[in-house]
Amino acid sequence: MIFGLREAVRIIAEEGLEARFARHRLNHLALVAGLETMGLSMVVAPEDRLPMLNTINIPDGADDVKVRGALLGQFGIEIGGGLGDFAGKAWRVGLMGHAACRPNVFLFLSALETILKAEGVAVKPGALEAAAAAY
């Protein structure tokens, strides 16, 4: 565990803290731009959000468990469901460490749009374009 911690700290030092913070923030902004373009909303107000943990309101007509299962089964993407009062009402999407990157944002937006459409949920087009514009 000590060697793992040392390697993690080395990777962070190599990238630089400010660059790492900026990367997480940029990917968060791109994700939010794509989600909002689709017509989805975030649970937390912009000024209170953590770029590493994005909480999305589950849209009307979407089945929490089915959508999360399809993301995992079809695309290999694991997201969390809401906890406590948010159970069945929100999804938790992590953008942390090396996973906070443009390809993952694009993959998630594309996969979520595909699954929601298959579930009969009305989503607006242009999520990938909105995310790309954020970059």
Side-chain angles (χ1 to χ4, degrees), residues 14-89:
E14 184 177 280
E15 182 177 9
L17 281 178
E18 293 305 318
R20 194 168 186 87
F21 296 156
R23 177 172 54 83
H24 282 80
R25 178 128 180 92
L26 178 60
N27 285 287
H28 160 76
L29 293 173
L31 176 67
V32 171
L35 291 168
E36 289 180 344
T37 296
M38 287 172 48
L40 303 179
S41 64
M42 305 300 285
V43 171
V44 179
E47 63 274 11
D48 296 323
R49 293 179 187 157
L50 296 173
M52 293 73 59
L53 184 59
N54 300 273
T55 311
I56 306 161
N57 286 305
I58 297 175
D60 291 337
D63 182 293
D64 173 29
V65 174
K66 279 179 79 174
V67 170
R68 288 190 292 121
L71 282 168
L72 184 58
Q74 296 174 28
F75 296 94
I77 299 170
E78 185 172 11
I79 66 170
L83 302 172
D85 291 342
F86 291 98
K89 298 176 185 174

